[in-house]
Amino acid sequence: MSKAMKKTVSAWALAGASVLAIATGAIAADRPADLAPLGDPPIPADNPQTPEKIELGKMLFFDPRLSGNSAMPCSACHLPDAGWDFPDKISLGYPGTVHWRNSQTIINSAYYGNLFWAGSSKSLEAQAKSAAKGAVAGNGEDDMLEARLAFVPEYRERFKDVFGTEYPRLSHAWMAIAAFERTLVQTDTPFDNYMRGDDAALDDAQKRGLELFTGKAGCSQCHNGALLSNQKYYNLGVPAYDGWETDELAQITFRYELYAKGSTEEMYRTFKDDPGVYFRAKDKNHLGKFRVPSLRYTKYTAPYMHNGMIETLEDVIEFYNQGGGENEFAETKSELIKPLGLNDDEKADLLAFLESLSGERIVMEEPELPEYDVLPAASN
Protein backbone atom coordinates (compact mmCIF):
# COMPACT_ATOMS: atom_id res chain seq x y z
CA MET A 1 0.00 0.00 0.00
CA SER A 2 1.48 3.36 -1.02
CA LYS A 3 2.09 6.22 1.39
CA ALA A 4 -0.55 8.24 -0.46
CA MET A 5 -3.15 5.51 0.04
CA LYS A 6 -2.29 5.17 3.72
CA LYS A 7 -2.68 8.91 4.10
CA THR A 8 -6.08 8.74 2.40
CA VAL A 9 -7.32 5.95 4.66
CA SER A 10 -6.14 7.82 7.75
CA ALA A 11 -7.91 10.96 6.56
CA TRP A 12 -11.27 9.17 6.69
CA ALA A 13 -10.95 8.65 10.43
CA LEU A 14 -9.66 12.18 11.01
CA ALA A 15 -12.59 13.67 9.12
CA GLY A 16 -15.02 11.82 11.35
CA ALA A 17 -13.28 13.00 14.52
CA SER A 18 -13.41 16.64 13.49
CA VAL A 19 -17.09 16.45 12.64
CA LEU A 20 -17.88 14.91 16.01
CA ALA A 21 -16.01 17.68 17.80
CA ILE A 22 -18.17 20.26 16.06
CA ALA A 23 -21.38 18.33 16.72
CA THR A 24 -20.98 17.83 20.47
CA GLY A 25 -23.39 19.59 22.83
CA ALA A 26 -22.95 20.47 26.51
CA ILE A 27 -22.43 17.37 28.70
CA ALA A 28 -23.49 16.91 32.32
CA ALA A 29 -20.53 16.24 34.61
CA ASP A 30 -21.43 12.70 35.70
CA ARG A 31 -22.19 11.24 32.25
CA PRO A 32 -20.06 8.73 30.26
CA ALA A 33 -16.98 10.51 28.94
CA ASP A 34 -16.97 8.75 25.55
CA LEU A 35 -20.54 9.77 24.67
CA ALA A 36 -22.13 13.18 24.14
CA PRO A 37 -25.41 14.88 23.23
CA LEU A 38 -25.72 16.06 19.67
CA GLY A 39 -25.25 19.75 18.94
CA ASP A 40 -26.02 21.76 15.81
CA PRO A 41 -24.86 20.27 12.50
CA PRO A 42 -21.74 21.71 10.85
CA ILE A 43 -22.51 24.04 7.94
CA PRO A 44 -19.87 24.37 5.19
CA ALA A 45 -18.64 27.89 4.57
CA ASP A 46 -19.23 27.58 0.83
CA ASN A 47 -22.88 26.55 1.24
CA PRO A 48 -24.50 28.62 4.00
CA GLN A 49 -28.09 27.91 5.00
CA THR A 50 -30.91 30.25 4.00
CA PRO A 51 -34.66 29.60 4.25
CA GLU A 52 -35.03 30.05 0.49
CA LYS A 53 -32.26 27.57 -0.29
CA ILE A 54 -33.67 25.02 2.16
CA GLU A 55 -37.14 25.29 0.62
CA LEU A 56 -35.70 24.87 -2.88
CA GLY A 57 -33.73 21.85 -1.70
CA LYS A 58 -36.84 20.30 -0.19
CA MET A 59 -38.66 20.60 -3.52
CA LEU A 60 -35.72 19.08 -5.41
CA PHE A 61 -35.40 16.23 -2.88
CA PHE A 62 -38.93 15.12 -3.76
CA ASP A 63 -38.76 15.98 -7.49
CA PRO A 64 -38.45 12.89 -9.74
CA ARG A 65 -37.18 15.02 -12.64
CA LEU A 66 -33.70 14.80 -11.09
CA SER A 67 -33.33 11.23 -12.39
CA GLY A 68 -32.93 9.53 -15.73
CA ASN A 69 -36.56 8.52 -16.20
CA SER A 70 -38.22 11.34 -14.22
CA ALA A 71 -39.49 8.82 -11.69
CA MET A 72 -36.67 8.37 -9.13
CA PRO A 73 -36.40 11.32 -6.73
CA CYS A 74 -34.17 11.22 -3.64
CA SER A 75 -37.29 10.36 -1.66
CA ALA A 76 -37.76 7.13 -3.63
CA CYS A 77 -34.91 5.55 -1.64
CA HIS A 78 -35.29 7.76 1.46
CA LEU A 79 -38.97 7.64 2.34
CA PRO A 80 -39.98 9.92 5.25
CA ASP A 81 -42.60 7.46 6.51
CA ALA A 82 -40.06 4.61 6.49
CA GLY A 83 -37.28 6.23 8.52
CA TRP A 84 -35.96 8.33 5.62
CA ASP A 85 -34.44 5.16 4.20
CA PHE A 86 -35.81 2.23 2.18
CA PRO A 87 -37.59 -0.51 4.16
CA ASP A 88 -35.97 -3.52 2.53
CA LYS A 89 -32.62 -5.27 2.67
CA ILE A 90 -31.39 -3.56 -0.48
CA SER A 91 -32.36 -0.10 -1.65
CA LEU A 92 -34.74 0.48 -4.53
CA GLY A 93 -32.91 0.29 -7.85
CA TYR A 94 -33.40 2.23 -11.07
CA PRO A 95 -36.13 0.57 -13.16
CA GLY A 96 -34.68 -2.47 -14.91
CA THR A 97 -31.99 -2.84 -12.23
CA VAL A 98 -31.70 -3.50 -8.53
CA HIS A 99 -29.43 -1.79 -6.03
CA TRP A 100 -26.70 -3.62 -4.15
CA ARG A 101 -26.55 -2.01 -0.71
CA ASN A 102 -28.96 -1.02 2.04
CA SER A 103 -30.30 2.53 1.98
CA GLN A 104 -29.13 4.57 4.99
CA THR A 105 -31.32 7.15 6.68
CA ILE A 106 -30.92 10.82 5.83
CA ILE A 107 -31.63 11.77 9.46
CA ASN A 108 -28.44 13.16 11.07
CA SER A 109 -26.42 12.49 7.91
CA ALA A 110 -25.26 16.12 8.19
CA TYR A 111 -22.75 15.06 10.85
CA TYR A 112 -20.85 12.43 8.85
CA GLY A 113 -17.39 13.21 7.54
CA ASN A 114 -17.96 10.88 4.58
CA LEU A 115 -21.18 9.50 3.12
CA PHE A 116 -22.26 6.05 1.91
CA TRP A 117 -21.31 2.72 3.48
CA ALA A 118 -17.79 2.88 2.08
CA GLY A 119 -17.25 6.62 2.57
CA SER A 120 -17.13 7.34 -1.14
CA SER A 121 -18.58 10.88 -0.94
CA LYS A 122 -17.01 13.61 1.15
CA SER A 123 -20.11 15.79 1.59
CA LEU A 124 -23.88 15.83 1.31
CA GLU A 125 -23.45 17.85 -1.88
CA ALA A 126 -21.31 15.11 -3.41
CA GLN A 127 -23.65 12.42 -2.11
CA ALA A 128 -26.68 14.01 -3.77
CA LYS A 129 -24.83 14.18 -7.09
CA SER A 130 -23.59 10.60 -6.86
CA ALA A 131 -27.02 9.20 -6.02
CA ALA A 132 -28.85 11.11 -8.74
CA LYS A 133 -26.35 10.00 -11.38
CA GLY A 134 -25.55 6.48 -10.14
CA ALA A 135 -26.31 3.81 -12.72
CA VAL A 136 -28.43 1.68 -10.36
CA ALA A 137 -29.90 4.67 -8.50
CA GLY A 138 -31.00 7.87 -10.27
CA ASN A 139 -29.16 7.17 -13.55
CA GLY A 140 -29.36 10.84 -14.60
CA GLU A 141 -27.18 12.78 -17.06
CA ASP A 142 -26.06 16.35 -16.35
CA ASP A 143 -27.33 18.02 -19.51
CA MET A 144 -30.70 16.29 -19.35
CA LEU A 145 -31.29 17.08 -15.67
CA GLU A 146 -30.22 20.70 -16.03
CA ALA A 147 -32.43 21.18 -19.10
CA ARG A 148 -35.46 19.86 -17.24
CA LEU A 149 -34.93 22.38 -14.45
CA ALA A 150 -34.57 25.17 -17.00
CA PHE A 151 -38.00 24.37 -18.45
CA VAL A 152 -39.68 25.03 -15.10
CA PRO A 153 -40.41 28.77 -14.65
CA GLU A 154 -40.65 28.58 -10.86
CA TYR A 155 -37.28 26.81 -10.65
CA ARG A 156 -35.69 29.46 -12.86
CA GLU A 157 -37.00 32.11 -10.50
CA ARG A 158 -36.00 30.28 -7.34
CA PHE A 159 -32.48 29.42 -8.54
CA LYS A 160 -31.98 33.05 -9.57
CA ASP A 161 -33.14 34.30 -6.16
CA VAL A 162 -30.95 31.84 -4.24
CA PHE A 163 -27.85 31.55 -6.43
CA GLY A 164 -28.04 34.56 -8.74
CA THR A 165 -27.91 32.62 -12.01
CA GLU A 166 -30.13 33.20 -15.02
CA TYR A 167 -30.81 29.48 -15.39
CA PRO A 168 -30.61 26.62 -12.88
CA ARG A 169 -27.23 24.95 -12.56
CA LEU A 170 -27.02 21.35 -11.48
CA SER A 171 -24.19 22.04 -9.04
CA HIS A 172 -26.50 24.47 -7.26
CA ALA A 173 -29.23 21.82 -7.15
CA TRP A 174 -26.93 19.54 -5.14
CA MET A 175 -26.12 22.42 -2.81
CA ALA A 176 -29.82 23.12 -2.22
CA ILE A 177 -30.61 19.46 -1.55
CA ALA A 178 -27.71 19.29 0.92
CA ALA A 179 -28.98 22.42 2.67
CA PHE A 180 -32.39 20.79 3.10
CA GLU A 181 -30.84 17.54 4.37
CA ARG A 182 -28.89 19.51 7.01
CA THR A 183 -32.25 20.41 8.57
CA LEU A 184 -33.13 16.72 9.02
CA VAL A 185 -31.49 16.29 12.42
CA GLN A 186 -32.69 15.05 15.77
CA THR A 187 -30.98 16.42 18.88
CA ASP A 188 -33.70 16.00 21.51
CA THR A 189 -33.83 12.24 22.07
CA PRO A 190 -34.22 10.84 25.59
CA PHE A 191 -30.49 10.01 25.46
CA ASP A 192 -29.55 13.61 24.55
CA ASN A 193 -31.71 15.01 27.32
CA TYR A 194 -30.15 12.60 29.82
CA MET A 195 -26.63 13.51 28.70
CA ARG A 196 -27.47 17.18 29.26
CA GLY A 197 -28.44 16.48 32.87
CA ASP A 198 -32.08 15.34 32.92
CA ASP A 199 -31.93 12.17 35.09
CA ALA A 200 -35.58 11.36 34.40
CA ALA A 201 -35.06 11.26 30.62
CA LEU A 202 -34.00 7.58 30.81
CA ASP A 203 -35.84 4.94 32.78
CA ASP A 204 -34.09 2.32 34.92
CA ALA A 205 -33.85 -0.26 32.13
CA GLN A 206 -32.33 2.31 29.75
CA LYS A 207 -29.78 3.37 32.36
CA ARG A 208 -28.78 -0.24 32.87
CA GLY A 209 -28.54 -0.55 29.10
CA LEU A 210 -26.27 2.50 28.99
CA GLU A 211 -23.95 0.84 31.50
CA LEU A 212 -23.83 -2.24 29.31
CA PHE A 213 -23.31 -0.13 26.19
CA THR A 214 -20.21 1.52 27.65
CA GLY A 215 -19.10 -1.55 29.64
CA LYS A 216 -19.72 -5.27 29.21
CA ALA A 217 -21.20 -5.08 25.71
CA GLY A 218 -18.37 -2.84 24.47
CA CYS A 219 -20.60 -0.98 22.02
CA SER A 220 -18.97 2.40 22.68
CA GLN A 221 -15.62 1.15 21.41
CA CYS A 222 -16.97 2.04 17.96
CA HIS A 223 -20.31 3.75 18.62
CA ASN A 224 -19.05 6.76 20.54
CA GLY A 225 -19.06 10.56 20.54
CA ALA A 226 -22.09 12.65 19.78
CA LEU A 227 -22.96 10.80 16.59
CA LEU A 228 -22.60 7.37 18.22
CA SER A 229 -20.10 6.44 15.49
CA ASN A 230 -16.32 6.72 15.30
CA GLN A 231 -16.73 6.72 11.49
CA LYS A 232 -14.08 4.05 11.03
CA TYR A 233 -14.34 0.88 8.96
CA TYR A 234 -14.71 -2.72 10.19
CA ASN A 235 -15.64 -6.19 8.99
CA LEU A 236 -18.14 -7.67 11.46
CA GLY A 237 -18.67 -10.93 9.61
CA VAL A 238 -22.09 -9.93 8.29
CA PRO A 239 -23.27 -12.68 5.90
CA ALA A 240 -23.47 -11.93 2.20
CA TYR A 241 -26.76 -10.62 0.80
CA ASP A 242 -28.91 -13.69 0.17
CA GLY A 243 -30.57 -12.13 -2.87
CA TRP A 244 -27.42 -12.74 -4.89
CA GLU A 245 -28.11 -16.47 -4.70
CA THR A 246 -31.45 -16.42 -6.57
CA ASP A 247 -32.10 -12.96 -8.10
CA GLU A 248 -30.68 -12.69 -11.61
CA LEU A 249 -30.82 -8.89 -11.69
CA ALA A 250 -29.12 -8.71 -8.31
CA GLN A 251 -26.36 -10.97 -9.61
CA ILE A 252 -25.89 -8.77 -12.67
CA THR A 253 -25.79 -5.62 -10.52
CA PHE A 254 -23.20 -7.17 -8.21
CA ARG A 255 -20.91 -8.15 -11.10
CA TYR A 256 -21.38 -4.72 -12.68
CA GLU A 257 -20.40 -2.96 -9.46
CA LEU A 258 -17.31 -5.16 -9.08
CA TYR A 259 -16.26 -4.35 -12.65
CA ALA A 260 -17.09 -0.64 -12.50
CA LYS A 261 -15.19 -0.10 -9.25
CA GLY A 262 -11.97 -1.65 -10.50
CA SER A 263 -11.91 -5.31 -9.47
CA THR A 264 -9.29 -7.66 -10.82
CA GLU A 265 -10.50 -10.36 -13.18
CA GLU A 266 -10.01 -12.95 -10.44
CA MET A 267 -12.16 -10.94 -8.02
CA TYR A 268 -14.79 -10.39 -10.68
CA ARG A 269 -15.08 -14.11 -11.36
CA THR A 270 -14.80 -15.47 -7.82
CA PHE A 271 -16.08 -12.98 -5.23
CA LYS A 272 -19.50 -13.75 -3.76
CA ASP A 273 -19.64 -10.87 -1.28
CA ASP A 274 -19.34 -7.08 -1.19
CA PRO A 275 -15.67 -5.97 -0.81
CA GLY A 276 -16.77 -2.74 0.92
CA VAL A 277 -14.19 -0.04 1.54
CA TYR A 278 -11.59 -2.07 -0.38
CA PHE A 279 -12.59 -0.10 -3.45
CA ARG A 280 -11.42 3.19 -1.91
CA ALA A 281 -7.72 2.22 -1.81
CA LYS A 282 -7.55 -1.28 -3.36
CA ASP A 283 -6.00 -2.59 -0.14
CA LYS A 284 -6.87 -6.23 0.63
CA ASN A 285 -6.66 -5.45 4.35
CA HIS A 286 -9.92 -3.53 3.90
CA LEU A 287 -11.93 -6.28 2.22
CA GLY A 288 -15.43 -6.56 3.68
CA LYS A 289 -15.11 -3.46 5.84
CA PHE A 290 -17.84 -0.81 6.10
CA ARG A 291 -18.20 2.45 7.99
CA VAL A 292 -19.64 2.34 11.48
CA PRO A 293 -23.17 3.81 11.18
CA SER A 294 -24.68 6.11 13.75
CA LEU A 295 -27.12 4.39 16.11
CA ARG A 296 -29.36 7.45 16.17
CA TYR A 297 -32.86 7.10 14.73
CA THR A 298 -32.34 3.33 14.30
CA LYS A 299 -35.70 2.62 15.93
CA TYR A 300 -37.24 3.41 12.54
CA THR A 301 -34.63 2.18 10.05
CA ALA A 302 -34.84 -1.63 9.93
CA PRO A 303 -33.38 -3.77 8.43
CA TYR A 304 -29.77 -3.25 9.44
CA MET A 305 -26.16 -3.51 8.19
CA HIS A 306 -24.81 -2.63 4.75
CA ASN A 307 -26.92 -5.31 3.07
CA GLY A 308 -29.95 -5.39 5.37
CA MET A 309 -29.22 -8.96 6.44
CA ILE A 310 -30.15 -8.35 10.10
CA GLU A 311 -33.86 -7.74 10.48
CA THR A 312 -34.44 -6.14 13.90
CA LEU A 313 -32.55 -4.39 16.68
CA GLU A 314 -33.07 -7.51 18.80
CA ASP A 315 -31.35 -9.47 16.04
CA VAL A 316 -28.50 -6.93 15.94
CA ILE A 317 -27.91 -7.40 19.67
CA GLU A 318 -27.94 -11.19 19.30
CA PHE A 319 -25.55 -10.96 16.34
CA TYR A 320 -23.00 -9.13 18.47
CA ASN A 321 -23.70 -11.32 21.48
CA GLN A 322 -22.73 -14.36 19.40
CA GLY A 323 -19.47 -12.71 18.31
CA GLY A 324 -20.63 -11.51 14.91
CA GLY A 325 -20.94 -13.78 11.91
CA GLU A 326 -18.97 -15.19 9.02
CA ASN A 327 -18.35 -14.04 5.47
CA GLU A 328 -15.71 -14.72 2.85
CA PHE A 329 -13.41 -12.03 4.24
CA ALA A 330 -12.60 -13.82 7.50
CA GLU A 331 -9.00 -12.53 7.46
CA THR A 332 -10.17 -8.94 7.99
CA LYS A 333 -12.83 -9.54 10.63
CA SER A 334 -12.36 -7.12 13.51
CA GLU A 335 -10.72 -8.47 16.66
CA LEU A 336 -13.17 -6.29 18.62
CA ILE A 337 -15.98 -8.64 17.65
CA LYS A 338 -16.20 -11.47 20.19
CA PRO A 339 -18.96 -13.21 22.20
CA LEU A 340 -20.40 -10.90 24.87
CA GLY A 341 -22.11 -13.34 27.22
CA LEU A 342 -25.22 -11.18 27.69
CA ASN A 343 -28.22 -12.84 29.33
CA ASP A 344 -31.82 -12.19 28.31
CA ASP A 345 -32.36 -9.42 30.87
CA GLU A 346 -29.18 -7.66 29.78
CA LYS A 347 -30.17 -7.89 26.12
CA ALA A 348 -33.57 -6.38 26.96
CA ASP A 349 -31.90 -3.51 28.84
CA LEU A 350 -29.50 -2.87 25.97
CA LEU A 351 -32.42 -2.76 23.53
CA ALA A 352 -34.22 -0.28 25.78
CA PHE A 353 -31.15 1.98 25.71
CA LEU A 354 -30.81 1.73 21.93
CA GLU A 355 -34.42 2.87 21.59
CA SER A 356 -33.60 5.95 23.68
CA LEU A 357 -31.32 7.08 20.84
CA SER A 358 -34.42 7.85 18.75
CA GLY A 359 -36.97 10.56 19.42
CA GLU A 360 -40.33 11.00 17.75
CA ARG A 361 -40.58 9.90 14.13
CA ILE A 362 -39.74 12.78 11.74
CA VAL A 363 -42.32 13.03 8.98
CA MET A 364 -43.41 15.68 6.52
CA GLU A 365 -45.76 16.10 3.62
CA GLU A 366 -44.29 16.17 0.15
CA PRO A 367 -44.20 19.70 -1.30
CA GLU A 368 -46.26 20.68 -4.31
CA LEU A 369 -43.89 20.62 -7.25
CA PRO A 370 -43.80 23.31 -9.93
CA GLU A 371 -44.82 22.51 -13.49
CA TYR A 372 -43.01 22.78 -16.80
CA ASP A 373 -43.58 25.65 -19.24
CA VAL A 374 -46.65 25.09 -21.39
CA LEU A 375 -45.36 25.02 -24.94
CA PRO A 376 -47.32 27.26 -27.36
CA ALA A 377 -49.54 25.53 -29.88
CA ALA A 378 -48.10 25.31 -33.39
CA SER A 379 -49.51 27.95 -35.77
CA ASN A 380 -51.01 27.02 -39.15
Side-chain angles (χ1 to χ4, degrees), residues 336-354:
L336 296 173
I337 305 301
K338 57 189 67 175
L340 303 177
L342 300 178
N343 60 41
D344 289 344
D345 288 340
E346 289 172 325
K347 287 185 285 187
D349 288 342
L350 186 55
L351 175 62
F353 171 69
L354 291 180

Side-chain angles (χ1 to χ4, degrees), residues 57-364:
K58 178 179 178 180
M59 296 168 70
L60 295 171
F61 182 90
F62 288 96
D63 198 326
R65 286 171 287 202
L66 282 180
S67 64
N69 67 342
S70 289
M72 289 287 290
C74 304
S75 58
C77 297
H78 300 281
L79 291 81
D81 292 341
W84 294 84
D85 63 355
F86 192 73
D88 204 349
K89 293 178 180 178
I90 297 298
S91 184
L92 180 68
Y94 189 79
T97 75
V98 295
H99 210 282
W100 74 314
R101 285 179 180 159
N102 179 263
S103 176
Q104 294 184 284
T105 183
I106 294 294
I107 302 301
N108 295 327
S109 60
Y111 300 91
Y112 282 119
N114 293 288
L115 283 299
F116 293 117
W117 281 105
S120 57
S121 288
K122 65 181 181 180
S123 67
L124 285 175
E125 289 82 358
Q127 183 274 335
K129 175 182 177 181
S130 180
K133 297 177 63 177
V136 298
N139 197 32
E141 296 290 341
D142 287 359
D143 54 351
M144 175 178 61
L145 302 182
E146 203 163 74
R148 287 178 184 161
L149 295 176
F151 276 107
V152 180
E154 184 174 340
Y155 277 152
R156 293 200 301 270
E157 181 179 346
R158 285 180 177 269
F159 273 84
K160 186 173 184 179
D161 289 344
V162 173
F163 296 106
T165 55
E166 193 67 26
Y167 287 96
R169 294 179 181 174
L170 206 51
S171 60
H172 290 156
W174 313 139
M175 294 173 71
I177 291 172
F180 166 64
E181 290 176 338
R182 290 189 177 101
T183 69
L184 299 176
V185 300
Q186 189 172 73
T187 63
D188 59 349
T189 68
F191 165 76
D192 289 298
N193 294 334
Y194 177 78
M195 291 297 291
R196 295 186 181 106
D198 181 1
D199 286 331
L202 298 186
D203 62 28
D204 290 341
Q206 291 169 330
K207 290 175 182 176
R208 292 193 300 268
L210 173 56
E211 290 185 9
L212 290 164
F213 187 90
T214 57
K216 180 178 178 179
C219 309
S220 63
Q221 293 178 94
C222 302
H223 294 284
N224 50 46
L227 189 55
L228 279 300
S229 167
N230 63 7
Q231 303 196 59
K232 296 180 181 179
Y233 300 80
Y234 301 94
N235 174 13
L236 310 178
V238 176
Y241 171 54
D242 56 6
W244 290 332
E245 298 175 2
T246 57
D247 188 326
E248 295 88 347
L249 276 180
Q251 293 168 359
I252 293 170
T253 296
F254 177 56
R255 295 300 166 194
Y256 163 78
E257 292 291 348
L258 288 180
Y259 179 79
K261 289 175 169 54
S263 298
T264 64
E265 182 175 351
E266 180 184 2
M267 289 174 60
Y268 178 82
R269 295 186 181 279
T270 62
F271 274 26
K272 306 296 183 184
D273 202 353
D274 188 340
V277 78
Y278 163 83
F279 289 121
R280 307 307 308 151
K282 303 299 192 293
D283 180 358
K284 290 185 177 181
N285 291 318
H286 296 147
L287 284 168
K289 294 183 179 181
F290 295 89
R291 189 202 58 205
V292 175
S294 172
L295 295 181
R296 292 177 171 278
Y297 210 64
T298 49
K299 183 177 180 179
Y300 310 111
T301 60
Y304 303 96
M305 305 299 180
H306 65 276
N307 54 14
M309 285 297 291
I310 302 185
E311 187 173 352
T312 67
L313 284 176
E314 290 93 336
D315 294 334
V316 171
I317 293 172
E318 187 58 35
F319 174 81
Y320 281 105
N321 198 41
Q322 296 296 324
E326 296 181 359
N327 55 36
E328 70 176 86
F329 308 117
E331 313 80 33
T332 66
K333 183 176 176 180
S334 173
E335 295 180 355
L336 296 173
I337 305 301
K338 57 189 67 175
L340 303 177
L342 300 178
N343 60 41
D344 289 344
D345 288 340
E346 289 172 325
K347 287 185 285 187
D349 288 342
L350 186 55
L351 175 62
F353 171 69
L354 291 180
E355 291 180 342
S356 79
L357 302 177
S358 302
E360 295 296 321
R361 187 184 290 272
I362 298 173
V363 295
M364 65 176 59

